[in-house]
Amino acid sequence: MTEIAKFAPQVLEITRQPKDEASVTARLRLTPAFDFGQQLDSLRNSGARDLLDEFGGEGDREWLQRPLRLEGRAFLLRLSQASQDEHSSDITLSLRASDEADDPASENQMREAITWATRRFWWELDFDGVREALSVDEYGEDLLAHYWPLRPTNMASPWEGLLKTVISVQIYPGLATRLQQGLLDFYNGGTASFEGRQYKFWPSVERLAEIVPDDLLGMKFSRQKARYLPAIADMVLQEPQKFDWERLRALPGREAVAVLDELPGVGPWIAQYVAMRGLPHQDIFIDEGGLRKALAAAFDRRADLSGDDLARLTAPYAPYRSIACYYSYMKMYSA
């Protein structure tokens, strides 16, 4: 049994709603128990949050809602925690077909949505394995003491995560949000209505390849980013096997990062960040100045660690270096 098969959610039931023919609901059981509300809070306040994400609550149950395309069809997905005990947590996942659709979600589309949620919230990871991997030294033990078993959240998909990160890097968060919204409004990947309300989708690779750089300049994109976005789409279209997201997710972390680093406008940091939070890949430790300083202080080393130093110090946390990296970010920002 593979790790993912062992720890993926157990599907208890998939039901159609008798009074709401457009909706299909699945009840999922995950072990061990965890706080889904904490995950939603983490998503709401992190770089993984997406413009399409909506949060709300019904009583003491928080939910995440967003439009999603599955097998070419538009659905409105909602996730909420159904129940929790000391051993397991039950999650409700519902899919509403668009107002224009004739049929509700199929079982295959529901299972695709479950896979999407599993990856975004890293439900398939073996957190006992994470504890074992990080407990090899004092720094890892400190991370575990403060943050384990918190489950990090990821970006909505590799493609959307790549777009968001390229747009947002090295600019103020407010400007990044405005640029993302401008792209979504002008080059959106279509719309769908759910109970009379219209939703947009992030542009597809094909749609992004149609971008006219002058349009982006008119939205206040820099000249570099106005060139990079259509160039990224062109390269992905020209080499679909190389940039197959499933293939990249299965590669060793270093190899996946190297492939992403070939894209126009994607340097080492963007490649690492998208690989870790977009694919998502479980074994990547991002090399950046703040994390170097955090590791240097923890290991009583000079503040100017090299990339080789960082790689050597974090190698013992394999195959869960991404979780060590998440926890290190939490430690760095809390400090």
Side-chain angles (χ1 to χ4, degrees), residues 271-283:
Q272 293 169 35
Y273 188 79
V274 172
M276 187 178 86
R277 304 200 75 177
L279 288 176
H281 200 292
Q282 69 180 34
D283 197 31

Side-chain angles (χ1 to χ4, degrees), residues 244-317:
D244 178 85
W245 308 121
E246 292 300 312
R247 185 186 77 87
L248 290 178
R249 189 169 183 262
L251 287 176
R254 186 182 294 269
E255 294 180 27
V257 168
V259 172
L260 290 171
D261 197 13
E262 295 181 30
L263 290 166
V266 175
W269 183 87
I270 292 179
Q272 293 169 35
Y273 188 79
V274 172
M276 187 178 86
R277 304 200 75 177
L279 288 176
H281 200 292
Q282 69 180 34
D283 197 31
I284 291 167
F285 200 102
I286 295 173
D287 182 5
E288 69 161 64
L291 292 177
R292 287 190 186 189
K293 290 180 180 179
L295 269 292
F299 285 92
D300 196 25
R301 301 287 295 276
R302 63 186 186 280
D304 55 344
L305 287 180
S306 68
D308 288 341
D309 291 333
L310 185 76
R312 185 169 59 255
L313 291 173
T314 58
Y317 306 137

Side-chain angles (χ1 to χ4, degrees), residues 188-201:
N188 69 80
T191 62
S193 296
F194 301 94
E195 296 185 292
R197 180 182 170 189
Q198 192 173 71
Y199 292 78
K200 296 177 181 177
F201 295 84

Side-chain angles (χ1 to χ4, degrees), residues 179-191:
L179 294 179
Q180 291 173 35
Q181 189 66 58
L183 183 71
L184 186 63
D185 290 342
F186 197 86
Y187 280 101
N188 69 80
T191 62

